[in-house]
Amino acid sequence: MNAPTRGNVVVTGTSTGIGRAAALRLASEGFSVFAGVRREEDGHALRNDAGGSVEPLLLDVTSAESIAAAASRIGDATGGGLAGLVNNAGVAVAGPLEALPIEDFRHQIEVNLIGQVAVTQAMLPMVRAAKGRIVLISSIGGRLATPFMGAYHAAKFGLEAVGDSLRQELAPFGIEVVVVEPGTISTPIWNKGADRAKEAREHLAPDAEDLYGASLDQVEKVARRSNERGIPPEKVADIVLRALITSRPRTRYQVGLDAKVGTRIRRLAGDRLMDRLIARATGL
């Protein structure tokens, strides 16, 4: 299968982290990038830093109206053809499943899973018109689950399944679907997630605090330390570029040593052994 020529591409969640790095990288490589942001000031900052063509657009992946407006604007600007769609927008919700407010769980699934499908549905006719590609930014957390991140893992495990189904459904149309699975990346999402978890603890019932307080302290420390040691998001941006331009892309790319090693260990280890390894790694 031939790689698509550089053309128009949509990247969601470009205010910070992986999405921002991907938008800048693709623009520098000759793509015309429509960069989804939640705030106008984020779009201005991105455009100022871009070395190529970046057009910010306000896009809330949880809003049908926002998605429809973005798709209409992109269709008018491109004539209805997209070389690529990079679904990256995401948040991280942390906390014990027993005590996690169900609205927080729903928000996690809405942003990281349902939002990705909704954007894909809206943009797919334009991707099909150009025989473009779809890239889903998943995570090693879509293959390997850890304590107190159940909502996040549920969304990412679901996104892995969506990627498999979508790849099979779109193969007859010549549309490649690629899943990118980063390990620990140094991005604001983890600090934001840790901050949100810390904030949520203030609302925990006393019995939940008694049950989970010490463990949550340890997990927060591990999360912040891991973020500091994470690889830069530009490494993921390089893989996104490869997924869009290589003639025969892989169905999945792991990014980072921890993602590659973690995937292999998970494939070989049973559940009980994996539980012990994770408990040791997190200090629980």
Side-chain angles (χ1 to χ4, degrees):
M1 180 176 294
N2 294 325
T5 57
R6 286 163 171 76
N8 302 297
V9 62
V10 172
V11 184
T12 66
T14 65
S15 294
T16 59
I18 292 171
R20 191 176 198 279
L24 294 175
R25 183 80 167 94
L26 294 176
S28 73
E29 290 291 329
F31 284 91
S32 295
V33 180
F34 291 90
V37 294
R38 291 291 304 276
R39 303 181 306 171
E40 288 187 1
E41 52 265 39
D42 294 337
H44 295 325
L46 182 62
R47 179 182 277 160
N48 288 339
D49 290 343
S53 176
V54 173
E55 181 65 29
L57 72 159
L58 293 178
L59 176 58
D60 177 357
V61 302
T62 68
S63 165
E65 293 78 11
S66 178
I67 294 170
S72 177
R73 178 177 165 186
I74 293 165
D76 290 343
T78 65
L82 281 177
L85 167 63
V86 181
N87 278 309
N88 166 75
V91 297
V93 173
L97 286 171
E98 179 181 3
L100 187 70
I102 201 65
E103 59 268 24
D104 288 354
F105 190 94
R106 285 197 181 99
H107 179 67
Q108 177 74 91
I109 301 299
E110 187 71 37
V111 175
N112 287 39
L113 181 56
I114 297 173
Q116 312 291 13
V117 175
V119 171
T120 299
Q121 289 179 339
M123 305 296 174
L124 192 45
M126 290 182 280
V127 174
R128 181 180 284 107
K131 281 190 164 50
R133 293 181 179 174
I134 297 171
V135 178
L136 304 176
I137 305 298
S138 180
S139 167
I140 183 59
R143 308 283 291 275
L144 177 66
T146 58
F148 306 112
M149 292 297 294
Y152 177 81
H153 292 306
K156 290 299 187 181
F157 270 67
L159 191 61
E160 294 278 339
V162 165
D164 284 340
S165 293
L166 197 61
R167 183 183 67 250
Q168 296 169 54
E169 292 170 3
L170 297 182
F173 305 106
I175 299 172
E176 294 276 9
V177 178
V178 179
V179 177
V180 176
E181 300 167 340
T184 303
I185 309 296
S186 182
T187 73
I189 188 174
W190 296 113
N191 281 332
K192 288 178 182 176
D195 290 340
R196 183 165 180 168
K198 189 174 181 180
E199 196 175 296
R201 284 190 62 186
E202 298 174 2
H203 303 289
L204 281 180
D207 56 342
E209 177 65 31
D210 292 340
L211 289 168
Y212 296 111
S215 295
L216 288 171
D217 285 338
Q218 180 61 26
V219 169
E220 183 182 340
K221 290 177 185 176
V222 171
R224 294 192 189 279
R225 191 163 59 243
S226 297
N227 182 59
E228 292 169 1
R229 297 174 181 172
I231 63 175
E234 287 74 17
K235 296 289 186 182
V236 186
D238 291 342
I239 297 300
V240 170
L241 174 64
R242 185 187 305 177
L244 289 174
I245 67 174
T246 192
S247 59
R248 292 183 64 84
R250 300 178 191 172
T251 60
R252 279 177 169 79
Y253 290 90
Q254 286 89 42
V255 189
L257 182 61
D258 59 338
K260 294 174 183 177
V261 172
T263 300
R264 290 174 185 170
I265 293 175
R266 186 68 189 94
R267 192 179 300 130
L268 297 172
D271 290 340
R272 299 299 185 189
L273 175 58
M274 204 69 221
D275 289 351
R276 289 196 294 272
L277 293 174
I278 291 171
R280 181 178 297 178
T282 55
L284 296 177

